[in-house]
Amino acid sequence: MHDRSSKPPFDPSIQVSPNNPCPFLRGLVGEGFVDGGTVPLRTLSQTIANASGEAGLKKTSARIQVRGVALIANGACHILQSIFWGAQLNGLRGGPLDKLGAGSRILGVDGRVNEDEIARLASFGGTYTDPDGGAETGLNASQIQIFMKDNLKRAGKQARWYYPILMKFEWPILLKIMGKGQGDDRYLSVAEVRTLFNERKFPDRITQRVVSQPVTPPSLILRAAGGLVAALLVFGVVALRFPDQFQPMLPGILGDLVAPPLPTQVEPRAAYWLEQNWALEDRHWFHHTSQGTATFPVPYSWFMALEQPRLHFFAKPGMLHDSDHLQRFGFIPSPQTINTDDATLRRFGYANVYDKTKPVPARLWDPPVNWGAQAENVGGLPVGFARMTGVPDPATGKVGEDRIGLTCAACHTGQIHYKGIDIRFDGGPAMTDLRKLEVTTGLSIAYTLYVPGRFTRFADRVLGPSASDADRDALKQKLSAIGTFLVDWEKTYAKTIEGKTRYNEKTKRDEPQQDTEEGYGRLDALNRIGNQVFSQDMALSGLSGFEKNLHAKDAPVSFPPIWTVPWLKYAQYDASIEQPLIRNAGEALGVTALLNLSDNSPKDTLFRSSMDIKNLNWIEDLLKGSAPYPKKQLSGLTSPRWPSDIFGDDAWKIDGDRVKRGRKLYAEICTECHLGPVNDPVFDTEFPSQSIWSSSRWETIGDDKFLNEVQKSAKGMGTDLAQASVLATRTVQVPGYLKLDPTQNLNAWWNCNLPDISSTDMPYSIGLMVLVDIVARKAMDDAKIDPKVQQAWWGKRKNCPNPGPQPPDKKEPGPWYRARPLNGVWATAPYLHNGSVPSLYWMLSPAAERPKSFCMGGGRDYDPKQVGFAVADGESCKTGQSRFSTRASDGTDMYGNSNAGHSFDGTPGPGKDGTIGRVLKEQERYDLIEYLKTL
């Protein structure tokens, strides 16, 4: 490169690459001021600042602007290269600064100048007096602005959102450097522009500025400071652009501003929904029918208009609702409608099992389930998302915008992955991470409000591009109010939990409350429901002070399977709720059905909610089917069968001899708690006394029989106590005007025989029972359900506290966990109620040998040999996966995460809590596993 102080005369032989599309940079190269290859950023920024003729702070500002643009000139992937070596001037074509035809089009991709486009440039100008004498054609600042806008208009849809920003650093900067005249009369000479493009030559006045000011290297201190600033800038930019890799590395508040990391989405080679006695129309309705919930804090149309909280510097980010994006949280893709072509259905895993059989639609069952209109999925959202239409405000009755909420299917629809194939089944545990989705939605709102350009696009989608400024301002105020509430609520939650304690049964002492990470496949549903109903719903109803009812989310559990559940007396792990309508209505309130608890609204609106009581009843009927007696078989949603017919892999074949040996082991060691299998006639024949159909645990309630599952003391089983302790220890306070009167109401409605309980201070379990009961009754009345139909919907199963094992057993003190039949157990990994055991192999092993730390989510492959997930203790997690660990980083036991208990390590007996059976030989484990595959 030439020395600036002794620059030789202009040499037109200096070549300039056509891949340098910037006229000013081409001039710098053509004049010999910089090389045409890699130019250090300080050299480039000083040279251009010198050319500007500015001095002092203005010159410094010009250098900073040039350096910032040059830093990204070759693209985000080359930022480090630009920092340490410089900008690659002959590699700008096709990069972020190349507008790909949305600019002036004077310079072609081959480096040739288009004179017609120079004439077009001149047409936007006027005649100006040359300070050196005479008159010439030129463009002032306003004319250049019009010219650039016309360029964008001409480009149409090819123009990207950041092009207007780029244009501020091009023709206006060229005017600032090469312009003639002063103030508003300053203009850019078209003749000089032609010379610059054609000959790569500057006017002499510009050349003299550069020659007279040599580029000086920075001091060592400035270099070090610049390097540090550059490193921080790169780290920040890369972290925002690639949050999946860098978010976990960011400290404190910086990490809170970046979207949580997500696993890479891999499209399966094929997908299959297993046959479970549901017709296609039943399945799709269950996947997308609304429970009346507004889980997400924004209306449906807003959710569909929000963008992902990721920064894409040279392209628009994807939409929050994109199916590919939501699948990364663990959700299962779903078609917009089932009234489509067979190829589309097959792509989503439908229309596969129906090649062999065609289940009878629920509308034709005995008794039929007439679940109303088909729930369509117009937005193409994954399984578990539903649009709630015609939503009246519970307090005012005013109909608002459609809302979006989660359904039963969001948590109770499962899938496994194996060598590029997805196997999907209804009623199984979901492998979703709802906390990550909550955080991502909140950040999406924040980015929409504060990242330039996002709100404009959001408003265009919600209101239309022709919306007035007043409407846009009103929309922004509403969105800002939601964002403020979410931030304030997170702060309130953190502050409240920070000051609360919990009793740890294991350590026998009070400890500070803190969340236990839920991660993929787990959720602390019970504490979340309490936080929603007894704190956030009260805040939304205008009540203050009830944040005291908040509790840490410290008892996460694996989503339980829901096949067979309607015929079990108790559904939850802790056997806490017998009444099915209360169970379903409580779940709907927990995932944010709108609820009015205000004393400032009309009296008849108190306890009014948005829950869809009809759909909740139909969902239960769809799961239930016909009564198992006298047929001695289950209908409704049946458990999925081992998919050996789908895979050609030998690992999926069933070994008949192992099954026979495993059946005998099951009769020996499993039936005490789990009873006989519900779907193995061979077992019933070989072991008639242990057959579930001859069990005395079938209890007649009303006109039907329900299985009263075996309940065991959580302490005796040795399993984690956290979830069982929630209802046993948590308390809530409510305002007196609600008049919950738990003793009077529950005793009158269900003959619970409760002692006197305060109407303002009560156990959480009792408060939830009575409040959900009142809200459900209000929902029936509002829906104008005939009283006789209401009685039929309620049935005869009580809404009373669980009395514990029946008959009572002093050796089984509370709290308890219930043992369910093991049909479909192969599809419910990871195991134990808190998802702490990755496979059946480890469930049948001594607890001390089980992996203590492993990774979940991210589409990890299913292991058909161990039946579950093959993990390595302490394994490294892939990007976006969540880590389950029994111990915290300081080595202490993680509350809620014990994987002890249910251990095959000796002879059960007094003083051996957690031991339930003898040590099994390796062959015995695999024999029993082989049998469990068939259930």
Side-chain angles (χ1 to χ4, degrees):
M1 184 168 60
H2 300 294
D3 181 80
R4 308 305 185 279
S5 62
S6 58
K7 178 187 176 296
F10 172 68
D11 184 356
S13 66
I14 296 178
Q15 296 299 308
V16 180
S17 171
N19 290 321
N20 179 347
C22 176
F24 192 83
L25 293 178
R26 291 172 67 83
L28 289 179
V29 176
E31 292 269 26
F33 289 123
V34 298
D35 289 332
T38 301
V39 182
L41 297 185
R42 71 174 184 273
T43 299
L44 194 61
S45 62
Q46 283 192 41
T47 301
I48 297 178
N50 292 343
S52 71
E54 300 285 7
L57 290 177
K58 289 186 177 181
K59 184 175 181 178
T60 302
S61 176
R63 286 182 57 186
I64 292 173
Q65 290 183 50
V66 171
R67 198 178 186 103
V69 173
L71 180 68
I72 64 171
N74 294 113
C77 296
H78 297 81
I79 288 179
L80 281 175
Q81 178 181 333
S82 298
I83 288 175
F84 294 107
W85 292 283
Q88 186 71 31
L89 299 191
N90 60 8
L92 299 178
R93 177 69 68 187
L97 305 187
D98 184 0
K99 291 183 291 302
L100 304 173
S104 69
R105 301 185 186 177
I106 292 175
L107 191 70
V109 294
D110 56 358
R112 296 178 182 273
V113 175
N114 189 331
E115 285 291 340
D116 290 340
E117 292 296 338
I118 293 182
R120 175 175 172 270
L121 168 70
S123 70
F124 285 86
T127 301
Y128 292 87
T129 301
D130 188 339
D132 296 327
E136 63 179 334
T137 301
L139 289 84
N140 64 15
S142 63
Q143 290 166 337
I144 288 175
Q145 189 75 19
I146 295 171
F147 169 66
M148 293 191 299
K149 286 184 177 179
D150 195 71
N151 290 341
L152 289 174
K153 183 178 179 181
R154 179 173 62 170
K157 293 182 179 180
Q158 291 181 330
R160 295 186 176 181
W161 65 272
Y162 62 88
Y163 284 177
I165 300 175
L166 287 182
M167 288 180 173
K168 292 180 180 179
F169 292 94
E170 294 183 333
W171 291 98
I173 296 296
L174 201 60
L175 171 66
K176 189 172 185 179
I177 295 175
M178 292 180 55
K180 297 179 177 180
Q182 301 294 326
D184 294 338
D185 293 330
R186 190 173 180 83
Y187 70 94
L188 187 65
S189 167
V190 173
E192 291 183 347
V193 168
R194 178 178 283 108
T195 300
L196 180 60
F197 270 101
N198 280 305
E199 302 178 27
R200 285 94 63 194
K201 184 179 180 181
F202 294 119
D204 289 340
R205 63 183 181 279
I206 308 302
T207 302
Q208 290 302 316
R209 290 176 192 166
V210 178
V211 170
S212 63
Q213 302 177 79
V215 174
T216 57
S219 67
L220 184 61
I221 294 177
L222 286 178
R223 284 186 185 185
L228 178 61
V229 171
L232 292 174
L233 176 63
V234 169
F235 186 77
V237 168
V238 173
L240 289 169
R241 178 61 185 87
F242 304 102
D244 295 329
Q245 290 75 23
F246 286 88
Q247 192 269 353
M249 301 167 57
L250 296 174
I253 192 171
L254 290 178
D256 294 338
L257 297 176
V258 178
L262 299 174
T264 301
Q265 173 59 27
V266 178
E267 189 72 21
R269 292 188 290 110
Y272 301 88
W273 281 95
L274 298 183
E275 181 179 333
Q276 294 176 262
N277 196 45
W278 274 0
L280 177 56
E281 61 186 79
D282 302 324
R283 171 168 277 150
H284 197 256
W285 180 83
F286 174 75
H287 290 172
H288 298 291
T289 193
S290 174
Q291 306 176 85
T293 57
T295 314
F296 298 90
V298 294
Y300 178 87
S301 63
W302 295 19
F303 182 84
M304 301 300 286
L306 288 170
E307 295 172 350
Q308 297 171 24
R310 294 162 182 262
L311 295 185
H312 291 251
F313 299 111
F314 310 113
K316 292 179 183 178
M319 303 305 295
L320 180 66
H321 73 267
D322 284 346
S323 182
D324 286 349
H325 180 233
L326 294 176
Q327 286 177 63
R328 298 176 69 188
F329 295 92
F331 291 98
I332 300 171
S334 181
Q336 291 178 305
T337 177
I338 57 174
N339 299 313
T340 185
D341 59 278
D342 192 62
T344 300
L345 292 178
R346 286 184 181 276
R347 181 162 59 87
F348 287 97
Y350 292 117
N352 289 295
V353 297
Y354 304 107
D355 292 343
K356 296 180 296 184
T357 60
K358 191 172 180 64
V360 175
R363 299 178 190 276
L364 302 178
W365 287 355
D366 183 19
V369 183
N370 294 315
W371 39 251
Q374 177 65 51
E376 296 294 358
N377 179 30
V378 177
L381 297 169
V383 170
F385 287 75
R387 182 175 186 170
M388 178 170 56
T389 59
V391 188
D393 183 282
T396 66
K398 181 181 178 181
V399 176
E401 296 186 69
D402 291 355
R403 303 299 294 266
I404 180 171
L406 296 179
T407 74
C408 297
C411 300
H412 301 289
T413 309
Q415 72 174 342
I416 59 174
H417 313 276
Y418 184 76
K419 294 184 177 179
I421 294 178
D422 287 354
I423 299 294
R424 298 163 181 168
F425 38 86
D426 285 301
M431 194 53 66
T432 54
D433 192 328
L434 295 184
R435 177 57 184 166
K436 278 188 177 179
L437 183 56
E438 288 176 345
V439 172
T440 300
T441 303
L443 284 173
S444 179
I445 293 172
Y447 280 37
T448 301
L449 289 168
Y450 299 114
V451 174
R454 291 216 177 183
F455 180 78
T456 299
R457 297 195 297 273
F458 173 78
D460 286 346
R461 297 183 186 112
V462 174
L463 302 173
S466 61
S468 67
D469 290 343
D471 288 341
R472 289 172 182 268
D473 289 343
L475 177 64
K476 192 166 191 176
Q477 288 180 7
K478 291 177 183 178
L479 187 65
S480 180
I482 292 171
T484 300
F485 175 82
L486 294 177
V487 171
D488 289 347
W489 187 257
E490 286 290 330
K491 291 179 179 177
T492 297
Y493 175 83
K495 183 178 179 180
T496 303
I497 299 306
E498 186 179 5
K500 303 188 80 169
T501 61
R502 64 190 170 205
Y503 182 73
N504 189 331
E505 183 67 34
K506 188 173 182 178
T507 61
K508 303 296 182 183
R509 64 172 183 262
D510 287 330
E511 299 174 346
Q513 286 188 22
Q514 58 183 2
D515 288 353
T516 299
E517 182 183 4
E518 294 164 318
Y520 282 96
R522 301 203 310 167
L523 195 75
D524 186 359
L526 204 50
N527 275 321
R528 279 174 170 266
I529 291 173
N531 291 347
Q532 180 65 44
V533 174
F534 291 104
S535 190
Q536 190 168 100
D537 281 340
M538 291 188 174
L540 292 170
S541 295
L543 306 178
S544 60
F546 289 94
E547 62 275 5
K548 59 190 174 187
N549 286 333
L550 287 168
H551 193 286
K553 300 183 285 290
D554 58 9
V557 298
S558 175
F559 299 109
I562 58 175
W563 51 72
T564 315
V565 156
W567 300 106
L568 304 180
K569 189 171 183 180
Y570 297 102
Q572 283 77 10
Y573 290 113
D574 61 354
S576 54
I577 300 177
E578 176 184 352
Q579 224 298 319
L581 198 54
I582 295 296
R583 175 224 307 152
N584 295 343
E587 178 266 335
L589 290 177
V591 289
T592 324
L594 306 178
L595 176 63
N596 177 38
L597 297 175
S598 171
D599 60 343
N600 290 323
S601 57
K603 197 169 185 179
D604 67 336
T605 66
L606 188 62
F607 299 115
R608 179 166 287 164
S609 72
S610 64
M611 77 163 64
D612 193 319
I613 199 72
K614 291 182 180 179
N615 280 351
L616 291 177
N617 184 69
W618 286 330
I619 289 170
E620 185 71 13
D621 285 348
L622 192 63
L623 294 169
K624 182 168 59 176
S626 57
Y629 274 93
K631 295 179 181 179
K632 295 185 178 181
Q633 68 179 32
L634 295 169
S635 60
L637 179 67
T638 57
S639 53
R641 305 297 291 195
W642 181 258
S644 56
D645 57 336
I646 291 178
F647 297 106
D649 197 317
D650 287 343
W652 289 86
K653 292 181 179 178
I654 297 292
D655 186 323
D657 292 334
R658 280 195 180 276
V659 169
K660 291 178 182 178
R661 296 193 297 267
R663 185 179 284 115
K664 292 180 181 178
L665 279 169
Y666 186 96
E668 174 192 337
I669 65 176
C670 300
T671 55
E672 178 185 349
C673 296
H674 295 285
L675 306 178
V678 299
N679 54 355
D680 183 10
V682 176
F683 183 96
D684 298 334
T685 300
E686 291 185 7
F687 307 98
S689 64
Q690 292 167 289
S691 169
I692 197 168
W693 301 110
S694 60
S695 172
S696 61
R697 303 200 69 84
W698 286 99
E699 181 180 330
T700 300
I701 305 176
D703 297 330
D704 295 312
K705 289 187 175 183
F706 298 87
L707 185 67
N708 188 356
E709 312 105 287
V710 174
Q711 296 180 50
K712 291 288 185 177
S713 168
K715 181 177 182 298
M717 290 299 294
T719 49
D720 193 279
L721 286 165
Q723 202 263 351
S725 300
V726 173
L727 294 182
T729 60
R730 185 175 176 179
T731 60
V732 294
Q733 294 181 333
V734 298
Y737 71 81
L738 290 180
K739 297 180 181 178
L740 294 187
D741 299 331
T743 304
Q744 297 88 329
N745 283 329
L746 294 180
N747 285 350
W749 293 332
W750 303 107
N751 194 27
C752 291
N753 197 29
L754 290 174
D756 286 338
I757 297 172
S758 167
S759 281
T760 55
D761 299 80
M762 62 192 73
Y764 169 41
S765 58
I766 299 297
L768 187 62
M769 281 180 173
V770 68
L771 179 62
V772 175
D773 205 321
I774 292 172
V775 173
R777 292 174 189 272
K778 176 65 174 171
M780 287 186 183
D781 291 340
D782 287 344
K784 296 181 169 53
I785 306 298
D786 184 272
K788 291 183 179 180
V789 176
Q790 291 190 34
Q791 287 300 317
W793 284 8
W794 283 116
K796 299 298 181 181
R797 297 168 69 181
K798 293 185 176 183
N799 181 27
C800 298
N802 172 25
Q806 298 297 315
D809 187 346
K810 292 182 179 180
K811 294 182 295 184
E812 300 289 346
W816 308 277
Y817 288 126
R818 63 96 170 97
R820 61 164 292 141
L822 295 180
N823 53 314
V825 67
W826 68 267
T828 63
Y831 297 98
L832 287 184
H833 69 278
N834 61 351
S836 60
V837 182
S839 68
L840 284 179
Y841 178 85
W842 292 113
M843 274 300 297
L844 300 175
S845 305
E849 299 177 5
R850 294 169 184 162
K852 304 300 181 185
S853 173
F854 54 89
C855 309
M856 291 303 300
R860 71 177 305 159
D861 265 10
Y862 185 87
D863 181 4
K865 182 179 180 181
Q866 291 197 0
V867 181
F869 303 101
V871 305
D873 198 1
E875 62 189 358
S876 296
C877 295
K878 295 180 181 179
T879 298
Q881 288 184 324
S882 57
R883 176 176 295 282
F884 172 86
S885 180
T886 62
R887 292 186 177 276
S889 57
D890 60 1
T892 59
D893 289 340
M894 181 73 76
Y895 188 85
N897 274 11
S898 170
N899 69 352
H902 200 281
S903 180
F904 291 88
D905 59 10
T907 303
K912 293 187 175 181
D913 289 345
T915 297
I916 66 165
R918 62 179 175 84
V919 177
L920 298 176
K921 299 176 182 177
E922 190 84 352
Q923 176 182 310
E924 288 180 313
R925 292 187 207 178
Y926 282 115
D927 286 346
L928 187 50
I929 286 172
E930 199 75 1
Y931 177 62
L932 292 173
K933 292 177 184 178
T934 69
L935 299 183

